[in-house]
Amino acid sequence: AKMTVERMFDEYGHFKRFQACLYFAAVFQATSCGIHYLASVFLVETPNFVCSVPGNITDVLYGNITGSSLESVLPVIKPAGGPLVVRTSEGEQWELSRCRSALRINPQDFAYDYYGNKTMKDCSGNFVYDHTEVHNSIVTDWDLVCENEWLAKLCQPTFMLGVLVGALLFGDIADRIGRVKILMITSLCQFALGVAVAFSLNYYFFVVLRFLLAMASSGYLVVVFVYVTEFTGSKVRTWTSMHIHAAFAVGIMVVALMGYLVRVWWIYQIILSICTSPFLLFCWKFPETPFYLMAKGRYQEAQALLDTIARFNGLECRLKAEDLLEPMKSENGKALLEKEEKEERPAQPEKKLSILDLFCSWRMAGRTCTVWAIWFIGSLGYYVFSLGSVNLGGNQYVNLFLAGAVELPSYLVGCFAMDRIGRKKTCAPALLLAGVACMLIIVVPEIDSLAIALSMIGKFAVAIAFGLIYLYTCELYPTVIRTLAVGSGSMMCRVGSIVAPFCVYLVDVWVYLPQLIVGILAFAIGVLTLLLPETLGEPLPTTLEEAESLGSNPRKKNSTNIIHHYIAESK
């Protein structure tokens, strides 16, 4: 039967009081996903540092800068510059660089340049850090520099690996045991693990706990999209799904703010983790979604839920759960045929569907590959711009705050464009614009503010495509494999986010290499997007056949839509 559960929204409101309460609660918790995803920007921040030396330091030289202690000179040194020259109270002279020190043998006078013999020594874990910007990060606490630098760099990729595992695991479980249980479990874990991370005894505890935290966060994010999509009517679905992303962006802004205010990593981590703790007080009252209850044949519960929604929205309870099953009578016996087909294969919802069902025909396979590519570049671009914003020069806290803030208008623009112009005609130009912005960053001269502006335009464009792809995926696939489609898309997106930190570290090779990579990919995938079907104004497909026929026969499809619409109105 077409449009089954959708009728509920025509009767009881697409986004009235009941849905609004659920929605804002669910979205409030989604900010904590944005928080944890980007928290590592300041957790693993590496300040200026040099090797320390035995003995008390009395004088320091750096070029033409002089000082009496390392702390006074450290803030001004450039990582690429020469070494620091120090004199100790014993009269020894040392040249200190980041990872090694050299003792000058029999120097004549105390000068910056010295051409005599030196004895090189490795640092072996004795470093002095500049604590003006960063009081404590895990880098300064556990000396993740020099030969241990790669451990600090692995922090974000391992988190993103956890995100991938979580998206796979929880997306699948949500189809089996229900959306609500997963929302409760994951949000509780987010809170508990987030606080636990702050008390990590060493780096390995830290990485493992953050891996688990990533699983919980991504599980919440995947399931909350399905949850709000199944609770809001088609008229507002665009807005509701887009603004979960807006909550994520608010999370990024919270990270920038907290990073600025709190410079000790474990206090910062605790504060970020308890930001959304009030959600735990009311999430256990959440109901299961009507789509899920109907799909599993739990009609009594569905009926109870329908009555609750009606009462809460101030309407009389006139819908029966069974009505939502009946196919539309007036469709010239076509419905009866459909019904007979359904009776021949009643086991359809229970049939175990796997990832291969996304490739059940050439048409669906092409669609799946394109959708996965959009997920990948959306995520890669998104994180390259977000994580890389702190490397753009200027104030890193302001840059990260802007990277979050620029997303908010992008979702408004995206929403209007999706509903006016269409999903495809919004997604493709957005990717093309992101590609162009990236190319321009490479061309323009090295002015900080210009690079930041172009980077934000790139982030703006990518965020439009990234925000849209969740809903677009939901509309391109039928109910039976919808969570699987979003889950596997999410997986591609997580692959993109695992690659993103490594991509950001390519700034060491060439300062604009990350942007170049993102630019070329975004442009190519923007062109591919033009081949997808348009789903604006179509009902959510419920069977594989309906999903496959999307965009193939538009005229006929619209006429049945109009019939459905009038039937719904007349009842």
Side-chain angles (χ1 to χ4, degrees):
K2 280 190 203 296
M3 296 218 12
T4 46
V5 193
E6 294 282 345
R7 272 189 54 218
M8 178 189 98
F9 302 119
D10 296 325
E11 294 278 347
Y12 288 166
H14 285 242
F15 193 72
K16 282 217 166 77
R17 192 190 306 155
F18 186 85
Q19 291 107 309
C21 289
L22 278 184
Y23 178 71
F24 289 116
V27 163
F28 173 66
Q29 176 62 19
T31 56
S32 94
C33 299
I35 287 171
H36 291 304
Y37 276 47
L38 275 116
S40 74
V41 172
F42 301 125
L43 286 173
V44 294
E45 202 181 340
T46 307
N48 273 335
F49 65 94
V50 290
C51 245
S52 68
V53 290
N56 293 331
I57 291 169
T58 53
D59 300 281
V60 184
L61 293 177
Y62 179 67
N64 54 5
I65 300 167
T66 59
S68 57
S69 71
L70 284 178
E71 283 73 21
S72 60
V73 182
L74 267 177
V76 297
I77 70 172
K78 298 272 177 290
L84 283 177
V85 179
V86 300
R87 184 163 55 184
T88 64
S89 51
E90 287 86 56
E92 292 179 334
Q93 289 186 23
W94 293 81
E95 293 183 10
L96 308 180
S97 55
R98 290 194 130 189
C99 296
R100 50 173 43 92
S101 53
L103 177 61
R104 292 176 170 180
I105 298 168
N106 303 328
Q108 301 309 307
D109 53 350
F110 185 50
Y112 189 70
D113 296 311
Y114 169 79
Y115 303 104
N117 291 337
K118 294 179 272 201
T119 316
M120 299 301 283
K121 279 187 64 178
D122 263 341
C123 251
S124 67
N126 300 312
F127 301 97
V128 179
Y129 297 95
D130 168 24
H131 289 295
T132 48
E133 274 272 299
V134 189
H135 295 199
N136 285 65
S137 72
I138 66 163
V139 175
T140 63
D141 275 12
W142 299 325
D143 289 332
L144 304 181
V145 288
C146 297
E147 68 270 21
N148 287 333
E149 183 191 13
W150 64 280
L151 291 175
K153 286 190 169 178
L154 269 184
C155 190
Q156 189 65 12
T158 49
F159 183 88
M160 289 306 186
L161 189 63
V163 165
L164 184 148
V165 175
L168 274 178
L169 184 71
F170 289 111
D172 190 43
I173 301 177
D175 282 347
R176 300 201 187 150
I177 71 166
R179 326 304 196 202
V180 165
K181 288 190 182 117
I182 301 295
L183 289 187
M184 294 200 292
I185 294 164
T186 51
S187 49
L188 188 65
C189 288
Q190 260 186 309
F191 175 67
L193 290 166
V195 174
V197 166
F199 297 102
S200 311
L201 301 171
N202 60 32
Y203 176 79
Y204 300 100
F205 273 104
F206 179 83
V207 166
V208 169
L209 284 169
R210 276 197 29 108
F211 183 87
L212 297 171
L213 174 60
M215 281 175 63
S217 295
S218 101
Y220 184 86
L221 206 55
V222 169
V223 178
V224 81
F225 271 99
V226 179
Y227 189 74
V228 302
T229 304
E230 292 186 351
F231 253 114
T232 52
S234 50
K235 288 178 187 163
V236 289
R237 204 169 270 138
T238 316
W239 289 92
T240 53
S241 79
M242 272 288 208
H243 284 85
I244 295 175
H245 286 286
F248 194 94
V250 170
I252 297 179
M253 289 152 78
V254 171
V255 167
L257 188 65
M258 284 304 161
Y260 175 72
L261 295 174
V262 184
R263 306 294 176 92
V264 179
W265 75 268
W266 57 271
I267 301 177
Y268 156 87
Q269 175 68 28
I270 290 174
I271 292 177
L272 288 181
S273 299
I274 59 181
C275 277
T276 58
S277 53
F279 177 80
L280 297 174
L281 301 176
F282 41 71
C283 73
W284 57 277
K285 298 285 280 181
F286 277 23
E288 190 49 87
T289 74
F291 278 87
Y292 182 80
L293 293 174
M294 296 300 286
K296 291 290 179 191
R298 286 152 61 176
Y299 303 127
Q300 276 92 3
E301 290 170 67
Q303 185 62 61
L305 174 60
L306 288 175
D307 296 344
T308 310
I309 295 175
R311 274 202 310 281
F312 219 89
N313 289 346
L315 303 160
E316 72 235 40
C317 317
R318 54 168 180 262
L319 262 188
K320 292 274 172 285
E322 285 72 34
D323 296 350
L324 300 181
L325 284 175
E326 279 179 33
M328 301 302 180
K329 292 282 189 294
S330 57
E331 264 191 48
N332 313 337
K334 187 176 142 202
L336 291 171
L337 284 171
E338 276 183 22
K339 200 172 180 181
E340 277 164 27
E341 278 175 28
K342 285 220 163 39
E343 278 156 15
E344 276 169 39
R345 35 175 198 165
Q348 204 194 3
E350 292 308 308
K351 198 181 81 181
K352 283 281 178 286
L353 290 162
S354 72
I355 205 105
L356 295 174
D357 290 281
L358 299 174
F359 296 90
C360 56
S361 65
W362 281 111
R363 194 186 166 111
M364 288 300 269
R367 181 180 302 178
T368 300
C369 289
T370 308
V371 166
W372 281 4
I374 302 170
W375 279 94
F376 177 81
I377 190 58
S379 170
L380 182 74
Y382 185 92
Y383 289 108
V384 165
F385 287 127
S386 300
L387 296 168
S389 63
V390 292
N391 302 332
L392 286 172
N395 183 321
Q396 58 174 357
Y397 302 104
V398 173
N399 289 358
L400 187 65
F401 190 85
L402 285 175
V406 78
E407 277 183 66
L408 301 176
S410 82
Y411 298 133
L412 290 173
V413 170
C415 280
F416 278 115
M418 277 165 83
D419 283 349
R420 301 291 184 287
I421 310 168
R423 314 324 190 194
K424 175 168 81 174
K425 295 190 195 71
T426 306
C427 198
L431 288 171
L432 296 174
L433 171 63
V436 171
C438 286
M439 304 299 181
L440 285 176
I441 292 179
I442 296 161
V443 178
V444 298
E446 295 197 28
I447 309 164
D448 277 352
S449 54
L450 204 56
I452 292 168
L454 279 169
S455 189
M456 294 308 159
I457 291 172
K459 172 86 193 274
F460 172 82
V462 160
I464 290 178
F466 196 29
L468 188 155
I469 190 60
Y470 271 96
L471 184 65
Y472 201 7
T473 307
C474 276
E475 292 182 338
L476 286 169
Y477 293 95
T479 311
V480 277
I481 52 170
R482 187 168 299 131
T483 316
L484 191 68
V486 174
S488 66
S490 243
M491 187 182 82
M492 285 314 293
C493 145
R494 300 321 160 205
V495 172
S497 54
I498 292 169
V499 176
F502 294 116
C503 195
V504 173
Y505 295 134
L506 291 175
V507 290
D508 301 339
V509 181
W510 180 49
V511 69
Y512 295 129
L513 193 52
Q515 280 87 349
L516 179 67
I517 293 170
V518 171
I520 293 169
L521 285 175
F523 203 86
I525 295 168
V527 174
L528 271 184
T529 307
L530 297 166
L531 303 173
L532 289 175
E534 184 53 76
T535 57
L536 178 61
E538 304 280 343
L540 280 178
T542 49
T543 63
L544 281 166
E545 294 78 31
E546 279 176 42
E548 204 167 327
S549 66
L550 276 175
S552 58
N553 198 342
R555 212 169 297 116
K556 188 174 137 199
K557 189 79 181 164
N558 285 344
S559 64
T560 58
N561 271 6
I562 291 164
I563 293 170
H564 282 317
H565 185 69
Y566 279 115
I567 293 164
E569 291 293 321
S570 64
K571 285 189 180 170

